[in-house]
Amino acid sequence: MHIHRSEKAWLIVGVISLVFFLGIIGWAAISEGITPPSHIQTIDPTKVAVTPPFDHPGVRKVGDHAVEAYIVARTFSFTPSTITVPVGTIVTFYATSPDVVHGFFIADTAVNMMVIPGWVSSASHRFTKPGTYLLMCNEYCGVGHHYMSGTIEVK
Ligand code: CUA
């Protein structure tokens, strides 16, 4: 079979790009610890209101430079709707839903998770600048979806 020279050249470029980008993904995952948001923990969605720590959602200090934020996403609000976290601290967000699938997206950050009933989604972020960040639901969850938002105060 005869393959034209230019076609061969493009095949080589394609294979090199593929290997290069797969290599970057492997390097990011293994040496930089970059992973997608986790959905490792499970929770009974009918018992979110009585399951610690989601029975008292909010922010907890877990170290000198680390806090955890537990947030319940339900139609059509986040509880608590406003949370305050310290600037420069690693914040690990844990979110779950007692009803339907919601989104958990913090504007101007890489925090973007699906919140699925029965699962606890988590992602970490360090806010380097103080300010007010918008938390929004970016999964269509019903007629009030566009009202579903919250606020992250970084001080
Ligand atoms: Cu919750 Cu859209």
Side-chain angles (χ1 to χ4, degrees):
M1 187 178 70
H2 175 255
I3 301 174
H4 192 274
R5 243 183 50 197
S6 332
E7 208 167 345
K8 258 188 212 158
W10 277 114
L11 272 175
I12 290 166
V13 169
V15 169
I16 289 172
S17 316
L18 185 66
V19 170
F20 176 71
F21 288 116
L22 286 175
I24 288 179
I25 292 173
W27 167 78
I30 295 162
S31 87
E32 300 293 298
I34 295 170
T35 56
S38 93
H39 298 91
I40 292 169
Q41 289 170 259
T42 57
I43 185 169
D44 182 342
T46 63
K47 297 198 171 82
V48 169
V50 294
T51 306
F54 289 100
D55 55 344
H56 292 100
V59 178
R60 288 166 188 51
K61 199 167 189 261
V62 289
D64 284 347
H65 298 289
V67 298
E68 291 178 342
Y70 292 90
I71 297 172
V72 178
R74 60 165 63 83
T75 49
F76 297 101
S77 64
F78 292 101
T79 308
S81 61
T82 299
I83 64 164
T84 304
V85 297
V87 69
T89 298
I90 294 173
V91 184
T92 305
F93 295 94
Y94 294 91
T96 193
S97 163
D99 43 49
V100 298
V101 174
H102 296 281
F104 188 104
F105 171 62
I106 304 172
D108 298 326
T109 73
V111 177
N112 188 0
M113 315 187 276
M114 281 177 91
V115 182
I116 302 162
W119 298 86
V120 177
S121 304
S122 70
S124 296
H125 184 72
R126 189 154 61 91
F127 294 90
T128 53
K129 280 188 228 139
T132 302
Y133 293 75
L134 176 66
L135 164 65
M136 60 187 129
C137 177
N138 58 356
E139 294 281 340
Y140 182 73
C141 54
V143 289
H145 162 70
H146 55 293
Y147 294 117
M148 188 168 169
S149 68
T151 305
I152 317 276
E153 297 281 357
V154 180
K155 288 182 176 166

